[in-house]
Amino acid sequence: MNRRASPTSPAADAGSAATHTPAPTSTASAASFASVPSAAVPSAAAASTRATARSDDAHILVSGLGVRRAERWLFHDLTLTVPRGAFVAIVGPSGAGKSTLLACLAGALAPGEGEIRFRERSGRLVAPEHCRPRIGCVFQRLLLVENSSVLANVLCGRLGRHRWWQTLFGAPRAEREAAFAIVADLGLAPHTHRWVAELSGGEQQRTAIARALFQEPDLYLADEPISNLDTYLTGRVLGRLRQEAAQQGRTVFCVLHDPTLVDRFADLVVSIDPTDPHGWRVRPVRR
Amino acid sequence: MFPELPWYRCLDALSVTLLLFGLAIFFSLPTLRGSGRDLDYWENARRFLARFFPPDFSVTPQVLTALAETAQIAVLATAGALVLSFPLGLAGARTLSPRWLVTLARLALNVTRTVPSLLWALIAVAIVGANPLAGVLGLTAYSVGYLGKFFSDAFESVDLDVARGLRAIGASRIQAFQHGVWPHTRPLIWSYALWMLEYNLRSAAIIGYVGAGGLGVLLHGYQEYHAWDRFCAVLVFILGLVTVLDLLGEWVRRKVTKRAARAPA
């Protein structure tokens, strides 16, 4: 219950901070951050502590984020503080920049401006590109290895935990069993050893979700993870993600289109407006 | 009104090359003029081929020994080529390697492929002497040219976004390759390797002509002594070998690539 109430305050803080104060990082420092990540870490840490002076359970700190596509800003000066274990829904029409925001959070795309910091459980602040094994992604295009079995794909989730020579000849039995448990939980048990290429769209999507779940990351980034699933499986998958967030403190960012699902599962909603780069809003979901 | 294409739009790459090929045929016709002497081709063919029959199968024991040697040469050459082609194939894949390395690797592969296998065997004979080792070395060099190119193409055909996705969730470069690229290339590489084994078996039967071991040594000897009936016996064995291999290779390739082929494009 506590956790459900808590997102409200930091999010409101973040929203108001964004509207009242200028971007915490100048364009120049953002540019230098993009080119020399290590040099910019001290100033980044300082900026983040300023933003989160009052929220120690803040997990993700986004400040002054701006991404430009062609000549147009998709969003600009996006500032957001997300507490650990929150379920954040990202909404907005197609082409608004939802996937781009997720790519920034994953550290796969260097934003034009601003910065993203994760607070590790130790309290240290790190940039996303330095903690990839702890970020689980369900990509929009899934990006599964089609010529491998479902189990092999799910096992890929934990590659980042091991050195390459440890995974050269397959995963240990305990990991294979853990992976199978998740596969079975998502109703894919009969397909465990089938190739992903042979599965239906929904089964493939569940494989991608299973890979992320098996990773046990600190942060889930899911890009429309339920687009191919029926109502029952949608509830099951989002419920599982929500449970991961609430019980394990694994923050979830999820692109969703259905407002009823947003109301049912999300704690926070980030909406992006394709017509106005400053039109992004962060609002808590009241239940 | 239906938008008609202008006539020159019909000149796509296919029709232009077809046209050029037709011209090439026309200008190549003079090659067929022959020696100019008045020869009875049919009689010549009949007389020469008649010496092949009946095949003299009394040489079967020697042929079987040579056949085994041929197979050994082909197997070792293919294995050696596989090992060497893997890094070369990686280096030659435009999507995986820096430009200079790709240029270098592709150049090396092209040069290797340009030299015929018989010439490679000759070079090897000059270096290690006339024995099966020369055959292995010569065929290895030749096969690397082919397999390296095939492997490069196989690696290039992979959608790298899958590997990038694995990188995004923390996999190292090597892991991303092993789990994201290799599963897609594995069936291709095995089917190329099988094809190469077949090819090497056929080549290994010939390179004995320059002394590099195998059936070719027998062929060369029988030819020198005009023992065409024995020559024919060897040919029968080669035919049998190639047929068996062809069927076997086809079967294995179907098994290996069956599931890959079923994948949606």
Side-chain angles (χ1 to χ4, degrees):
Chain A
M1 282 302 106
N2 254 350
R3 196 168 288 291
R4 288 211 173 179
S6 64
T8 337
S9 52
D13 284 356
S16 60
T19 41
H20 294 306
T21 57
T25 39
S26 67
T27 325
S29 74
S32 70
F33 168 68
S35 54
V36 201
S38 55
V41 165
S43 73
S48 313
T49 30
R50 199 164 60 233
T52 57
R54 280 167 298 147
S55 48
D56 288 338
D57 64 341
H59 182 196
I60 288 139
L61 311 143
V62 179
S63 53
L65 195 71
V67 173
R68 193 201 281 270
R69 184 184 292 160
E71 285 305 298
R72 199 173 67 81
W73 290 96
L74 285 173
F75 44 82
H76 192 245
D77 204 15
L78 196 152
T79 300
L80 171 70
T81 307
V82 177
R84 192 175 291 283
F87 191 117
V88 185
I90 303 176
V91 299
S94 172
K98 304 183 294 293
S99 299
T100 309
L101 177 58
L102 284 189
C104 291
L105 286 166
L109 179 75
E113 275 186 13
E115 60 192 27
I116 297 166
R117 286 293 175 272
F118 299 153
R119 187 189 293 282
E120 295 191 316
R121 286 179 196 265
S122 64
R124 206 160 62 92
L125 288 169
V126 290
E129 57 268 32
H130 294 133
C131 54
R132 287 196 172 134
R134 291 193 299 283
I135 304 175
C137 299
V138 181
F139 301 99
Q140 195 168 26
R141 282 179 53 212
L142 304 183
L143 301 184
L144 295 167
V145 188
E146 300 218 323
N147 289 6
S148 286
S149 70
V150 170
L151 191 70
N153 269 279
V154 174
L155 285 167
C156 282
R158 284 193 193 166
L159 284 179
R161 292 193 193 180
H162 305 289
R163 311 298 306 209
W164 67 268
W165 60 86
Q166 293 170 313
T167 52
L168 203 56
F169 300 106
R173 190 172 177 83
E175 278 208 350
R176 293 168 63 82
E177 280 169 0
F180 176 72
I182 292 169
V183 166
D185 187 48
L186 291 176
L188 292 169
H191 308 306
T192 309
H193 295 293
R194 283 180 68 193
W195 278 16
V196 167
E198 300 173 335
L199 302 182
S200 75
E203 288 159 351
Q204 294 187 351
Q205 196 156 32
R206 277 181 281 158
T207 307
I209 294 161
R211 178 168 74 178
L213 287 170
F214 178 65
Q215 196 181 342
E216 297 183 342
D218 284 344
L219 169 66
Y220 286 102
L221 303 175
D223 202 342
E224 302 190 36
I226 42 117
S227 57
N228 279 320
L229 302 183
D230 60 32
T231 321
Y232 167 73
L233 284 169
T234 298
R236 184 109 181 237
V237 164
L238 291 181
R240 175 86 194 244
L241 283 177
R242 168 138 198 103
Q243 191 187 345
E244 289 274 310
Q247 291 174 6
Q248 315 283 337
R250 296 175 183 149
T251 309
V252 176
F253 277 78
C254 184
V255 173
L256 287 177
H257 284 297
D258 185 349
T260 57
L261 290 177
V262 172
D263 286 342
R264 196 169 138 208
F265 291 101
D267 301 311
L268 277 176
V269 181
V270 178
S271 58
I272 305 177
D273 185 347
T275 57
D276 175 12
H278 292 275
W280 57 267
R281 292 288 176 271
V282 182
R283 66 175 171 87
V285 176
R286 303 194 195 287
R287 290 198 178 78
Chain B
M1 191 191 136
F2 181 76
E4 292 289 349
L5 286 174
W7 62 270
Y8 52 83
R9 288 286 295 276
C10 302
L11 291 178
D12 56 350
L14 184 79
S15 52
V16 168
T17 43
L18 206 64
L19 209 67
L20 287 176
F21 189 57
L23 278 176
I25 290 177
F26 178 75
F27 284 109
S28 307
L29 286 177
T31 321
L32 301 178
R33 68 183 179 275
S35 65
R37 284 188 291 152
D38 186 20
L39 294 178
D40 186 348
Y41 291 165
W42 289 113
E43 176 57 22
N44 282 349
R46 199 195 57 75
R47 200 149 29 85
F48 182 59
L49 291 180
R51 296 199 209 157
F52 279 61
F53 293 98
D56 179 4
F57 283 107
S58 65
V59 291
T60 303
Q62 291 112 285
V63 174
L64 284 181
T65 317
L67 198 71
E69 196 177 73
T70 303
Q72 288 166 326
I73 291 172
V75 165
L76 285 184
T78 311
L82 265 176
V83 171
L84 292 176
S85 310
F86 189 80
L88 272 168
L90 276 180
R94 291 187 196 90
T95 46
L96 299 177
S97 302
R99 212 189 171 91
W100 63 269
L101 192 61
V102 172
T103 316
L104 212 68
R106 295 223 162 208
L107 190 72
L109 291 175
N110 284 343
V111 169
T112 322
R113 217 169 38 247
T114 310
V115 179
S117 54
L118 209 57
L119 194 51
W120 275 118
L122 203 62
I123 295 170
V125 167
I127 297 171
V128 300
N131 54 59
L133 174 63
V136 173
L137 293 179
L139 281 187
T140 302
Y142 184 69
S143 313
V144 163
Y146 267 105
L147 281 185
K149 166 138 174 57
F150 289 156
F151 288 8
S152 303
D153 291 348
F155 287 131
E156 277 180 7
S157 70
V158 175
D159 175 14
L160 278 190
D161 279 353
V162 174
R164 290 198 192 100
L166 290 181
R167 292 278 286 151
I169 59 173
S172 69
R173 273 167 186 282
I174 295 174
Q175 287 171 327
F177 175 80
Q178 191 200 340
H179 297 274
V181 177
W182 180 240
H184 287 277
T185 43
R186 193 175 40 203
L188 285 176
I189 281 185
W190 278 125
S191 78
Y192 288 142
L194 282 173
W195 178 85
M196 203 70 229
L197 184 64
E198 252 179 80
Y199 185 97
N200 278 342
L201 269 159
R202 273 174 276 146
S203 295
I206 295 302
I207 53 168
Y209 261 84
V210 293
L215 285 169
V217 177
L218 288 184
L219 281 179
H220 190 53
Y222 295 148
Q223 186 206 330
E224 292 285 287
Y225 291 100
H226 297 283
W228 296 111
D229 45 356
R230 296 183 169 180
F231 191 94
C232 185
V234 179
L235 284 185
V236 168
F237 275 100
I238 293 180
L239 183 72
L241 177 74
V242 170
T243 309
V244 168
L245 270 174
D246 204 41
L247 294 174
L248 207 68
E250 193 56 40
W251 181 76
V252 175
R253 253 199 302 279
R254 215 170 36 236
K255 290 277 168 202
V256 167
T257 53
K258 194 177 67 176
R259 301 214 285 188
R262 217 187 292 163

